[in-house]
Amino acid sequence: MQFHIHEKRPDGGVGRLLDVIDRIPERRKTGLFVEFDGEFHPVLTGIRNFIVLTAERWEMMKRRKV
């Protein structure tokens, strides 16, 4: 199942699309969660399923992969 990764804006809203990942979600009592970069993130829904990360977290993750 594909999930979009969006930037979390400073005001708490959802920002630009950063990437798309293919994961199998984990169902918990509080909803669906997706593992990304060693942590589980809650799945949010809109037009498509997505998770949000801060821009700082995204940059740290990208630097580790290089």
Side-chain angles (χ1 to χ4, degrees):
M1 188 173 205
Q2 288 191 338
F3 296 92
H4 289 192
I5 301 173
H6 283 273
E7 178 181 22
K8 185 174 186 177
R9 293 190 305 228
D11 66 357
V14 178
R16 65 189 171 99
L17 175 67
L18 301 171
D19 200 1
V20 178
I21 58 173
D22 190 23
R23 298 282 196 279
I24 297 173
E26 181 177 300
R27 184 169 299 278
R28 298 181 182 175
K29 289 181 183 179
T30 56
L32 291 177
F33 287 79
V34 172
E35 188 276 327
F36 180 74
D37 194 32
E39 284 187 23
F40 280 90
H41 299 275
V43 174
L44 305 171
T45 59
I47 295 173
R48 293 191 170 81
N49 294 327
F50 64 97
I51 62 174
V52 292
L53 296 175
T54 61
E56 295 81 22
R57 175 75 187 268
W58 179 253
E59 289 300 320
M60 283 182 0
M61 195 262 329
K62 280 181 29 181
R63 277 183 271 165
R64 281 190 302 223
K65 286 189 174 185
V66 174

